[in-house]
Amino acid sequence: MPSKIDAKEYHTLIAKSPLILEKLEIIDRVAQTDSSVLILGESGVGKELFAEQIHLRSPRSGAPFIRVNCAALPEGLLESELFGHVKGAFTNAIQNRRGRFELADTGTIFLDEIGDLSLALQSKLLRVIQQKTFEKVGSNTPVTVDVRILAATNKDIEALVEKGEFRSDLYYRINVFPIHIPPLRQRPEDIPELAGFFMKKYQTETKKQFTGFSNDAMEFMLSYSWPGNIRELQNSVERACVIGKGPRIQKDDLFFRTAPVIPEPAEGSRNLKNAINAFKIQFIQKVLEENKWNQTETAKALDIQRTYLSRLIKEFSIKGEEH
Ligand SMILES: Nc1ncnc2c1ncn2[C@@H]1O[C@H](COP(=O)(O)OP(=O)(O)OP(=O)(O)O)[C@@H](O)[C@H]1O
Ligand SMILES: [Mg+2]
């Protein structure tokens, strides 16, 4: 019974490094239990994908997997999102509404960014964990659910506990099984696999065909520290698929932003006007490429009129290579 909320498809998890294969083994075992799991790790390491795997490998896999981002909504809205409300509970509550805990009944709820949950909601959550019951906003009638709780955060949650911003009793309840997902720089074996996976994905989307990565590009990917982890790698490969001319993806396609090139006027004196024009040409060309030479989209991205863009293209004789 897929609801609108859990209709989002599951992701493919690429795993090659011993570090990650080891985590997956732990996840296999944890999945068989109903214990809460706290997934920790830097931004972009794949915490949500691991939560999906715990659900998919669990006896609850046929039931809903409901995702909630605790940082996305202000406290009042989040409370009704999580627990539902009854008609008349507040001005806009024109009818009864089921919350995500009810939608997750017999399945799994994934509380992302749990470190951002307010203290009041932390208390309510603690009660759901301990007694499996809660009340909808505006109601006194307890609702009972059978939900497995997974949570994730990229914050130092122990520091939040020490500062009194996160309840220690809730922390102990959700921290029964902490799983730390290592950053990408600690598992280089995953980089070629992930890069290849994203290349296939984005070349289909960009209707291009690449044969792989140049040696330089691969070396750079393996030595770079990836502070934004897999999300950053994914964005780099996507960008490379958009701007790359092939047949292989080059280092500059992946990292053109980290190595800005200051354009020099092609000819004439190095006065400011020529320099600005040189920049204009290069920038317009880049945005045109990013938008596959669609002038309407490019004009939108540049926040200028389409007619003005065509005039600039003519004036500077900007030409693109056909992809
Ligand atoms: N092992 C993996 N295989 C394939 N794709 C991955 C993998 N890990 C992460 N990704 C992709 O990287 C992106 C970031 O992953 P995810 O959203 O799970 O990160 P996160 O740890 O939840 O980050 P944040 O703390 O910023 O929310 C997603 O687009 C996800 O599909
Ligand atoms: Mg996340």
Side-chain angles (χ1 to χ4, degrees):
M1 182 199 56
S3 74
K4 243 193 216 157
I5 292 158
D6 69 341
K8 190 170 159 190
E9 283 179 20
Y10 297 110
H11 298 80
T12 306
L13 184 130
I14 304 294
K16 181 84 193 270
S17 63
L19 266 183
I20 289 298
L21 294 174
E22 198 182 290
K23 296 288 171 194
L24 287 174
E25 260 178 44
I26 297 171
I27 273 176
D28 253 336
R29 274 180 280 143
V30 169
Q32 305 316 313
T33 72
D34 271 342
S35 295
S36 301
V37 180
L38 179 61
I39 306 169
L40 300 162
E42 290 177 14
S43 185
V45 288
K47 295 186 288 298
E48 187 162 348
L49 271 64
F50 280 86
E52 288 176 0
Q53 289 301 315
I54 296 173
H55 174 71
L56 291 172
R57 294 166 188 226
S58 80
R60 294 172 179 263
S61 60
F65 177 74
I66 304 290
R67 305 162 209 257
V68 185
N69 185 331
C70 301
L73 293 172
E75 183 178 340
L77 283 179
L78 182 61
E79 182 175 12
S80 102
E81 192 71 30
L82 284 170
F83 304 106
H85 61 243
V86 292
K87 189 175 164 182
F90 45 88
T91 322
N92 293 328
I94 45 174
Q95 55 190 28
N96 291 345
R97 179 170 182 225
R98 297 169 79 206
R100 297 210 188 178
F101 266 99
E102 269 180 281
L103 294 172
D105 197 17
T106 72
T108 306
I109 197 163
F110 173 50
L111 302 174
D112 202 0
E113 320 272 6
I114 193 148
D116 289 271
L117 204 62
S118 70
L119 283 166
L121 289 182
Q122 289 175 27
S123 313
K124 205 157 170 173
L125 177 61
L126 183 63
R127 197 165 141 238
V128 185
I129 296 178
Q130 286 173 332
Q131 298 166 12
K132 299 193 185 306
T133 59
F134 58 86
E135 283 92 31
K136 292 184 179 201
V137 177
S139 155
N140 292 320
T141 316
V143 179
T144 305
V145 285
D146 165 24
V147 174
R148 195 218 186 139
I149 296 173
L150 306 179
T153 183
N154 53 27
K155 291 195 167 166
D156 180 349
I157 197 157
E158 281 187 18
L160 295 180
V161 172
E162 268 169 37
K163 282 193 278 179
E165 289 169 19
F166 201 89
R167 291 182 66 122
S168 55
D169 43 8
L170 177 60
Y171 173 59
Y172 295 126
R173 294 305 291 245
I174 57 168
N175 198 34
V176 186
F177 268 114
I179 295 185
H180 185 266
I181 311 299
L184 188 55
R185 61 186 169 279
Q186 286 174 13
R187 40 178 165 123
E189 301 89 344
D190 288 335
I191 292 176
E193 295 285 314
L194 284 162
F197 172 73
F198 294 134
M199 186 191 82
K200 286 205 190 92
K201 175 175 173 181
Y202 293 113
Q203 73 175 6
T204 313
E205 282 181 21
T206 53
K207 300 198 179 71
K208 291 192 193 172
Q209 275 263 297
F210 294 101
T211 55
F213 295 84
S214 72
N215 293 345
D216 263 12
M218 190 52 80
E219 254 173 51
F220 208 110
M221 285 195 290
L222 288 168
S223 60
Y224 181 60
S225 67
W226 299 107
N229 292 294
I230 294 146
R231 185 175 294 116
E232 187 184 359
L233 173 63
Q234 182 174 354
N235 290 343
S236 269
V237 175
E238 178 177 11
R239 197 165 57 210
C241 287
V242 172
I243 65 166
K245 300 200 169 72
R248 292 199 293 173
I249 289 176
Q250 304 296 319
K251 179 180 149 189
D252 287 351
D253 301 336
L254 289 160
F255 293 98
F256 74 90
R257 244 199 240 155
T258 54
V261 182
I262 298 171
E264 286 274 342
E267 52 205 46
S269 71
R270 294 178 92 213
N271 64 30
L272 189 61
K273 185 164 169 254
N274 285 347
I276 289 171
N277 285 344
F279 172 78
K280 272 190 192 164
I281 294 167
Q282 184 172 317
F283 193 68
I284 292 169
Q285 195 149 15
K286 178 177 149 237
V287 181
L288 275 164
E289 278 176 18
E290 284 173 4
N291 288 285
K292 299 180 204 127
W293 293 85
N294 177 322
Q295 292 195 14
T296 311
E297 289 301 311
T298 306
K300 244 190 248 163
L302 293 170
D303 197 19
I304 57 174
Q305 294 290 333
R306 196 182 172 286
T307 44
Y308 180 49
L309 176 66
S310 331
R311 194 141 50 79
L312 290 172
I313 291 173
K314 254 194 226 121
E315 185 183 329
F316 294 129
S317 321
I318 297 175
K319 283 190 200 80
E321 286 159 47
E322 280 309 306
H323 294 296

